Amino acid sequence: QVQLQESGPGLVKPSETLSLTCSVSGGSISSFHWSWIRQPPGKGLEWIGNIYHNVNVNYSPSLKSRVTISIDRSMNQVSLKLSSVTTADTAVYYCARYRSDLYASLGNYYYYPLDVWGQGTTVTVSS
Amino acid sequence: EVDLTQSPGTLSLSPGERATLSCRASQSVSSNYLAWYQQKPGQAPRLLIYGASSRATGIPDRFSGSGSGTDFTLTITRLEPEDFAVYYCQQYGNFWTFGQGTKVEIK
């Protein structure tokens, strides 16, 4: 079964770029879609963005100017880059998987929500 | 962007009681792409319900989802000790959003 593991620096300085990697094991990265979610300390979940059908991306409007999500198929990894970070970006960052079914007769996809999550990695923004 | 408002913020109940959690969207949720997650302290969220009313794999049948359009409900018919947690709704249409969460605590 698919397992996800986030990794990256636990401490990032203000104004720098946060870079995280999600390593996918137990399945092909190309078979699914991928999402990054974050959770500030003591607060709720915030969607950051998705990469789907291997190349399409969708970002939260509030983060769009600073976010890049990409896939490295050779490494079976999904990456997140968040630029110009501030203390408000301090959070647990999760990667998660979702999938879709193709309804060929209708020519469209039915999407499912996030059914496999990594354990999360804590990122603190501080000088 | 679809805003989701969950109520109540906190639900204080005893084991064996029924829990009813509400999620209201600022506009109609496309294709009923509404999910519910459970999160316990220090853990990642777990998917409970997708498509507003379908249980995810391995989820006990005491969890059920209902609703359409802008009003959705998660019901837990008889609370077990392991059900005390925070519950989030999420719409996964075009731009995804989460509700702010409902904490179900032991009374």
Side-chain angles (χ1 to χ4, degrees):
Chain A
Q1 74 201 46
V2 172
Q3 292 187 310
L4 310 180
Q5 179 67 60
E6 304 91 346
S7 60
L11 181 63
V12 181
K13 289 182 168 54
S15 80
E16 294 188 344
T17 295
L18 178 162
S19 295
L20 297 177
T21 297
C22 175
S23 298
V24 179
S25 60
S28 169
I29 200 169
S30 298
S31 300
F32 302 101
H33 317 298
W34 307 97
S35 186
W36 286 95
I37 308 294
R38 70 181 183 179
Q39 186 169 35
K43 296 189 178 181
L45 302 169
E46 180 183 16
W47 173 66
I48 299 171
N50 298 338
I51 186 164
Y52 57 106
H53 300 295
N54 292 309
V55 295
N56 299 304
V57 292
N58 215 0
Y59 300 135
S60 167
S62 64
L63 297 171
K64 182 177 182 177
S65 64
R66 300 193 290 130
V67 173
T68 303
I69 295 175
S70 60
I71 279 180
D72 184 336
R73 282 193 288 274
S74 66
M75 298 290 288
N76 235 33
Q77 291 178 336
V78 187
S79 70
L80 168 70
K81 293 188 188 301
L82 182 66
S83 64
S84 304
V85 297
T86 70
T87 55
D89 296 310
T90 294
V92 175
Y93 285 76
Y94 295 100
C95 68
R97 176 198 90 170
Y98 65 110
R99 58 185 180 87
S100 60
D101 288 335
L102 174 62
Y103 289 107
S105 59
L106 298 175
N108 60 16
Y109 290 88
Y110 180 85
Y111 289 92
Y112 299 88
L114 303 166
D115 61 346
V116 179
W117 294 65
Q119 65 187 27
T121 188
T122 299
V123 178
T124 301
V125 178
S126 174
S127 55
Chain B
E1 185 173 304
V2 179
D3 290 324
L4 299 178
T5 302
Q6 292 187 240
S7 60
T10 302
L11 203 49
S12 298
L13 296 168
S14 301
E17 288 194 297
R18 181 187 188 93
T20 303
L21 288 67
S22 173
C23 177
R24 177 162 290 178
S26 60
Q27 55 189 280
S28 186
V29 176
S30 61
S31 304
N32 264 5
Y33 278 168
L34 193 286
W36 291 92
Y37 299 87
Q38 176 193 69
Q39 188 179 34
K40 297 179 181 179
Q43 296 184 17
R46 177 175 71 142
L47 176 65
L48 301 175
I49 300 289
Y50 67 92
S53 60
S54 298
R55 269 187 302 276
T57 303
I59 302 304
D61 60 7
R62 63 180 182 273
F63 291 92
S64 65
S66 62
S68 64
T70 60
D71 288 299
F72 300 89
T73 301
L74 174 70
T75 302
I76 312 170
T77 50
R78 292 171 310 280
L79 282 165
E80 297 287 341
E82 62 268 27
D83 298 337
F84 291 92
V86 179
Y87 293 83
Y88 294 95
C89 60
Q90 178 214 15
Q91 66 81 21
Y92 52 103
N94 229 355
F95 294 99
W96 294 9
T97 48
F98 288 90
Q100 81 279 19
T102 290
K103 181 179 182 180
V104 179
E105 64 176 21
I106 299 176
K107 187 174 182 180

